[in-house]
């Protein structure tokens, strides 16, 4: 019978090296006097100094307000419970950065008489951001599918109004859907650093062409924007914004009626590109329900985040006016 080699004993240095490589931070909460003891890694993570007077309440002040009561309740509940626990929450560092922390520990250290808890902190910010990105992508994909169905329905309706035969309707509808396909080709990221994805005017022209009743820019839609190149990332982001505005106009605004008109104008001043989307003859005179929907939130996030700008809506009697203000260097990068 083969003799099994005994496992080596781990030294203190080996334990410390393993924890350091894993980014593990140590803590202990002495419940009787509310003292919180942390190692150097944990202090760096929370950006605090453990001078012997650190308390649980001191740390609680750095927890994100939306998570603070939840964390307090969870920690308090573990006082009377032996066994492991885990909770994820956000903290706000000294430079106002939001960081995700995972606290894992052992209630009462397995012995209710000790009246202390021990555990570790892990920085899980990267994982949380990845999860949020996946959730946003899933929501965006679902929203896009719904918008594509609404778009196909709307394009079919406006095409049917302007044709007398099914052959004519098929021809015009095919042209409009093909234009959307060309728009997709226009704004897709270009591989191997091949340069900018599109010109600003071309992006609006191609994306809005399918919405004109006669042909591209026969009178319903007019575009006059500054001549400038777009970077591939900004072109994709701006295309999403244009698509959302056009889809909402097709559902609720000027593009939903035969007499509706759309003017898109713009200018560049002091490094800021301002685009004014003006609708005339549409039925919308006040903020509709879609302004609180996913599409509106997606537009706000895209403009405020990727494009470094802002978007505002004004529901005038003549129709909706949208103002987009974006940094020129963010659009061209």
């Amino acid at each position: 019978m083969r003799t099994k080699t005994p496992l080596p004993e781990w030294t203190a240095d080996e334990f410390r090296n393993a924890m350091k490589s894993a980014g593990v931070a140590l803590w202990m909460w002495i419940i009787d006097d509310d003292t919180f003891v942390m190692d150097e890694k944990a202090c760096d993570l929370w950006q605090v100094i453990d001078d012997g007077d650190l308390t649980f309440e001191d740390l609680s002040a750095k927890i994100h307000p939306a998570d603070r009561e939840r964390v307090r309740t969870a920690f308090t509940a573990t006082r009377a419970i032996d066994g492991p626990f885990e909770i994820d929450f956000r903290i706000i560092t000294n430079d106002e950065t939001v960081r995700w922390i995972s606290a894992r520990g052992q209630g009462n250290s397995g012995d209710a008489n000790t009246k202390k808890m021990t555990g570790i902190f892990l920085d899980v910010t990267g994982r949380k951001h990845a999860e949020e990105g996946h959730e946003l992508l899933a929501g965006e994909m679902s929203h896009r599918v719904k918008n594509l169905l609404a778009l196909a329905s709307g394009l079919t309706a406006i095409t049917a109004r302007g044709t007398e035969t099914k052959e004519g309707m098929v021809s015009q509808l095919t042209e409009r859907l093909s234009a959307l396909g060309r728009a997709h080709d226009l704004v897709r990221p270009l591989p191997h650093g091949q340069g900018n994805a599109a010109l600003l005017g071309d992006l609006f022209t191609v994306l809005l062409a399918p919405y004109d009743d006669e042909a591209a820019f026969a009178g319903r839609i007019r575009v006059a924007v500054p001549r400038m190149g777009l970077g591939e990332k900004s072109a994709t982001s701006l295309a999403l914004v244009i698509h959302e505005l056009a889809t909402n106009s097709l559902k609720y605004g000027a593009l939903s009626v035969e007499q509706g008109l759309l003017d898109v104008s713009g200018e560049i001043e002091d490094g800021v590109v301002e685009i004014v989307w003006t609708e005339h003859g549409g039925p919308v005179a006040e903020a509709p329900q879609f302004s609180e929907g996913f599409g509106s939130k997606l537009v706000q996030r895209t403009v405020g985040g990727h494009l470094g700008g802002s978007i505002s809506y004004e529901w005038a009697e003549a129709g909706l006016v949208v103002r987009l203000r974006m940094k020129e260097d963010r659009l061209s990068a």
Side-chain angles (χ1 to χ4, degrees), residues 208 220-223 254-255 260-264 277-280:
L208 294 177
R220 269 172 67 85
I221 303 173
R222 295 185 291 269
V223 174
L255 296 181
L261 300 174
L262 171 63
D263 283 304
V264 181
W277 172 291
T278 306
E279 299 186 17
H280 304 277

Side-chain angles (χ1 to χ4, degrees), residues 61-62 178 186 198:
K62 303 201 71 171
S178 296
L186 178 69

Side-chain angles (χ1 to χ4, degrees), residues 69-197:
E69 288 305 315
R70 177 172 61 88
V71 174
R72 282 175 172 168
T73 300
F75 267 76
T76 301
T78 58
R79 293 180 178 182
I81 302 175
D82 292 339
F85 69 91
E86 178 178 346
I87 184 171
D88 294 351
F89 54 91
R90 292 162 292 179
I91 66 172
I92 302 176
T93 62
N94 296 338
D95 60 357
E96 301 299 322
T97 299
V98 176
R99 189 179 284 169
W100 274 96
I101 302 295
S102 179
R104 305 174 187 182
Q106 187 81 11
N108 287 317
S109 296
D111 182 357
N113 294 323
T114 63
K115 294 185 179 180
K116 67 180 180 181
M117 297 163 58
T118 57
I120 64 170
F121 291 129
L122 292 175
D123 187 342
V124 293
T125 305
R127 172 169 63 83
K128 288 294 185 178
H129 285 174
E131 291 174 357
E132 291 172 357
H134 292 156
E135 291 175 2
L136 178 62
L137 179 60
E140 179 180 333
M141 291 302 296
S142 174
H143 181 70
R144 285 190 179 188
V145 169
K146 292 178 181 178
N147 268 355
L148 284 174
L149 293 175
L151 180 60
S153 176
L155 287 178
T156 302
I158 64 175
T159 303
R161 291 200 301 263
T163 55
E164 297 180 356
T165 66
K166 64 179 181 181
E167 290 80 9
M169 177 179 172
V170 169
S171 176
Q172 289 193 26
L173 183 58
T174 300
E175 290 178 0
R176 291 186 171 114
L177 293 176
S178 296
L180 286 179
R182 292 193 299 270
H184 173 74
D185 290 337
L186 178 69
V187 300
R188 68 184 177 185
L190 301 179
H192 311 302
Q194 295 179 11
N196 293 335

